[in-house]
Amino acid sequence: MFRVSARTVLQLGAELISSDAVAFYELIKNAFDAGSKRVAVRVVERLPFEKIAELKELLRSVVEMPVRSKASQEAVRKVQDGISASTLKTAPEIGEYLQRVEDTRTPAALLSLLDEGSSIEFSDTGEGMSLKELNDVYLTIGTSSRLKTRAARVGKPENGRPVLGEKGIGRLSAMRLGMRLEVRTAKKGESKWNLLSIDWRAFAEDQDALIESVHIEPVHGPEKNRDEQGTRILISALNSAWSEDKLCQIAVSELSKLMDPFTETTVFPIAVYFNKAKVQIPPFNHLLFDHAHATVRATFTIDPGGHPVLRGQVKYLLERKEKTFVLDGANLKSSAGVESIDTLRTLGPFSMEAYWYNRRILEEITGIGDREQVKELIEAWSGGLMMFRDGFRVAPYGGPNDDWLKLDHHALKGQAFKVNRSQIIGKVDITSDDNPRLIDQTNREGLRDNSEKNGLQTLLLHILHGQLRDFLQKVDKSNRKPVTFGELEGRVESEERSLNQTLARLRAIAKEFDDLDIAPIERALRESIKQIERTMTDAKELAEQYDQDRSQVIHLAGLGMMVEHVAHELVRTTEHTLRTLSDMLARNLPADAKTHLSNVESQLVSLRKRLTLLDPHTTSGRQVKEQVPLVATVSDILRGHEAQFVRHGIKATVVSAPPKTECTLKIVRGMFIQVIENLISNSVYWLKQQSDLESDFSPAISITVRTAEKEILFSDNGPGIDPADREDVFRPFFTRKPPGKGKGLGLYISRQIAEYHGASLDLTATKDRHRGRHHTFILDLSGAKK
């Protein structure tokens, strides 16, 4: 049996409940778990916090003195006067409190009354606790009572509401708020209230003492009506100052989000009071959702066959465009970034919805207010995705200081700061029954780290960035109509003609009149000049866009040159190592040593083949066009991947059509190799994803060189490409891989290389029969420039 010290109890209270808002959450959720229909929270401030501390300090200086001593009596009178002068007359029952203060004659009694100078009360009409439960359950830290209740309700919807608590530590929330706790509780049918009083300061007197040495025992209290039930938790000797402003702030920023604000109905009413005044918990104004610029909704389910599926819809309401998406199998596994599809099965079903706002174009909304008021409402509720389990918030996700999905990090890394936390109001819904592996951290600050939580985070990020942001950018780009230089030249010529005509008219009129007012004509001239300036501005923007794109290509080319340089150095090192190994193998060595060295030699030979293909210094002229035999070059590339193919069980073949024919073209050999390497890299990744799903899967890559047509068909039997992504896969930064696994540049660069040669790279229109997905790329070199 473990024995716990008083210090441990105090540390638990301080560390497990990290904020006043979390303490409120836990105590309110306890009322919900007790089956109450509502909960009332009353914060009472009879005396200012600072005044209480000041008067207590005065009493502590005399508390050890005889009660009838002059110093003690003077201190009592001074404190009584101080209380009388400082009490807030708006506090409830203030007359009765002041009478008790006046009747008190000892410093110890006054200290106790000063504890009552401010208090927080949570009251409910739930099932309550018996004396035995108060002793065995409430006084036991870490009890599994809620877990047992939850387990008993699993699969039994007739039992009503879910159980929110799970660890039995919510009662430590009282310690977070104040040092004195009084519990009054009873079950229906009992004749008396059950009472429990705890002063946590008793644990601080000797922190090394064992907890058993602090005597705490619940007792029977006054009689009650047998129909009454419920619990009242009164916390006093508060640890911090409370004010109506502080309570209002918690109500607005925390309690308003405690329960799912996206629904129209209130699941569990909460009444909050400061002294006698009711504090409003503002409801969310759903009119804001009707004016979102874009939305995304998605559901993650496990189908009857045990296969996880993610389905969703993105609506770009501003542009009246929408799309649906479905991810399953290898594509879903990759998007979730999980090692095994089993992780997604144990993750369990969830749903999400998010509303996106372009803050630059916000407008007045009738029913909310002007543009600034709309902006303020978005700022109050944005922050990314909040999480709700069984309709109650899992803090701090989606809060003002929490970026659990790293939305801002990925938005900043993207091409535009789009779909960041300040633009998103959203949520993800989970349940205790469907998502048992998503467990709160002990301190109630989010979920525990595990593979299921990581899979959920990665999927949600994919939905917001891989689906929502990608679609917004795609639509915006398609709506932009770039002006060509030809169009600009035409406009400039037109304006010049207009200017010349105006000048001619001016000259003709000037001949007829001596005192000509040419101001209107001058204005027309100036307007024409401005129009020309605007036209030239468009030309500059086009030039800047061209320079930006060109800079991107140059940057990528620089990266390629770096790889080539490293490859060259590695070739030299590998050649030297192979020569050394050859000399060593020629010596009289033990059989085991020769075997190991032979294995190393074999691996280095394979590495040399691949490095030789990358090293531009092994070809004459580096990046210049030369006669390249396509079939032979592709065969060399595949041989360089033999070890990788063996490691992943991939069967890779290259054939010519017609058989035993060759096609030689004048192209940049290194660039051609890069295209094939990119296609291989993609295939190996997706074939591995498919292999992880199907134990009997036989991954294969098939390359056919049509020598007469000067075409290369590159196919694999992996998960394939969704027809909706047929063109998108060639866009820069488009990827279906999880963060850190791919940058979405391989196919984009490959197509640019093809176009550089006057060739093309596309997906064929052919789809597989079963899933309707594309599996074959075609590199058409028939138009390759000489």
Side-chain angles (χ1 to χ4, degrees), residues 459-490:
L459 275 181
L460 292 172
L461 183 61
H462 168 79
I463 292 168
L464 292 176
H465 279 179
Q467 298 293 343
L468 173 62
R469 184 180 70 177
D470 186 79
F471 185 64
L472 300 183
Q473 291 177 340
K474 180 181 177 182
V475 172
D476 286 346
K477 186 175 181 180
S478 68
N479 287 342
R480 287 196 296 266
K481 296 179 180 179
V483 181
T484 66
F485 277 111
E487 291 170 333
L488 286 175
E489 287 172 353

Side-chain angles (χ1 to χ4, degrees), residues 652-723:
T653 59
V654 56
V655 297
S656 61
K660 299 182 179 179
T661 57
E662 180 60 276
C663 174
T664 301
L665 293 177
K666 190 173 184 179
I667 55 178
V668 178
R669 185 171 180 270
M671 287 187 172
F672 172 73
I673 290 170
Q674 188 174 4
V675 173
I676 303 301
E677 286 282 358
N678 285 343
L679 294 175
I680 290 173
S681 176
N682 271 346
S683 279
V684 169
Y685 175 84
W686 289 109
L687 289 171
K688 184 178 182 302
Q689 300 301 308
Q690 195 68 31
S691 295
D692 291 342
L693 295 179
E694 302 177 25
S695 58
D696 58 349
F697 177 64
S698 299
I701 294 173
S702 173
I703 304 176
T704 301
V705 181
R706 293 177 177 173
T707 54
E709 294 86 355
K710 299 177 183 177
E711 295 175 347
I712 297 177
L713 300 180
F714 187 103
S715 305
D716 65 44
N717 63 340
I721 296 173
D722 192 313

